[in-house]
Amino acid sequence: MRPVTCLQACRPSVPLGIVTLCLMARWTFQAQGEVSLHVPQPNVNTTVEQNILLSVAYTCEGTPIIKWKHTSPRGTTEIAEWKPGSYTNISISYEGRVNVYENGSLQLLKVDLRDSGYYLVTVRDKSGFTIYGTILLNVYEILYEDLHFVAVFFAFLTAVSAILICFMWLCNKSIHLLQERQQLKASTTEETELQMMDVS
Ligand SMILES: *[C@@H]1O[C@H](CO)[C@@H](O)[C@H](O)[C@H]1NC(C)=O
Ligand SMILES: *[C@@H]1O[C@H](CO)[C@@H](O)[C@H](O)[C@H]1NC(C)=O
Ligand SMILES: *[C@@H]1O[C@H](CO)[C@@H](O)[C@H](O)[C@H]1NC(C)=O
């Protein structure tokens, strides 16, 4: 391996120029073989039913193989593996739910609470160099924290209480009416009884 040779060569006794040369050689060596991966947003927060782009971009010599996995407390699931311009392999459980992009990005359609967790992306170039990236996705339920909802809710409560008050008032009124009617009935029977007594 080149880096090991470099370390052995770069003894303190060796002039600084050679050290620099060694480092430069090592840097060139790495730049040729390595793949690099840019993850602009490693933490994504969203709500259910949204379409989410897990955005990454790689730089690599030739065309790499890209692989995405999902890890959550439920376990690890393979999502997709593809080689841009060559093939795309999407696992059965994600069929129709994902879109893949040439830059390595993955789009999840209509996310669910269960889609929360870590997404691990692997980019492997033709010589086998591999680089990893992770994105943490948090999927939340829709929260009705906007004032509009609160206002509507209070209006609804007011309407319900108004209806209840009306209903109670009506009940009260009808009970009174019934009582009055019964009293009237009682008094009329008394009267007829009195009349009957008179007759006899
Ligand atoms: C997502 O939410 C967490 C807290 O739940 C917060 O720490 C983080 O900064 C948020 N990320 C983004 C990109 O908004
Ligand atoms: C990758 O490609 C997608 C689709 O073209 C784009 O929306 C996204 O921004 C790209 N990601 C990066 C990190 O450039
Ligand atoms: C696609 O995935 C299936 C199941 O994981 C596997 O059997 C198959 O070999 C893969 N195809 C390619 C082209 O990678």
Side-chain angles (χ1 to χ4, degrees), residues 186-197:
S187 59
T188 42
T189 39
E190 258 172 47
E191 261 171 44
T192 38
E193 268 170 23
L194 279 172
Q195 277 174 354
M196 275 165 78
M197 272 166 75

Side-chain angles (χ1 to χ4, degrees), residues 35-155:
V35 205
S36 83
L37 187 69
H38 174 53
V39 184
Q41 213 185 336
N43 185 334
V44 178
N45 295 335
T46 189
T47 49
V48 289
E49 293 289 304
Q50 296 288 313
N51 297 338
I52 290 304
L53 181 72
L54 301 173
S55 184
V56 298
Y58 63 80
T59 51
C60 162
E61 230 191 312
T63 314
I65 294 168
I66 299 143
K67 203 169 170 177
W68 280 90
K69 276 184 199 170
H70 175 225
T71 300
S72 73
R74 291 160 201 272
T76 300
T77 331
E78 303 225 338
I79 304 169
E81 180 180 312
W82 74 99
K83 190 173 178 174
S86 179
Y87 71 88
T88 303
N89 202 355
I90 292 169
S91 71
I92 297 160
S93 53
Y94 281 90
E95 240 166 48
R97 286 195 54 212
V98 294
N99 288 323
V100 301
Y101 295 97
E102 218 161 284
N103 64 2
S105 299
L106 181 85
Q107 188 183 36
L108 294 171
L109 304 173
K110 292 199 168 189
V111 291
D112 197 310
L113 290 178
R114 282 170 300 174
D115 289 322
S116 288
Y118 284 94
Y119 287 82
L120 178 75
V121 57
T122 316
V123 179
R124 194 174 76 234
D125 80 356
K126 61 179 188 294
S127 54
F129 278 97
T130 306
I131 195 156
Y132 304 93
T134 48
I135 294 177
L136 172 62
L137 178 70
N138 296 310
V139 182
Y140 298 105
E141 290 202 79
I142 299 161
L143 294 174
Y144 297 101
E145 51 195 354
D146 52 326
L147 270 159
H148 180 246
F149 175 79
V150 175
V152 168
F153 186 66
F154 272 101

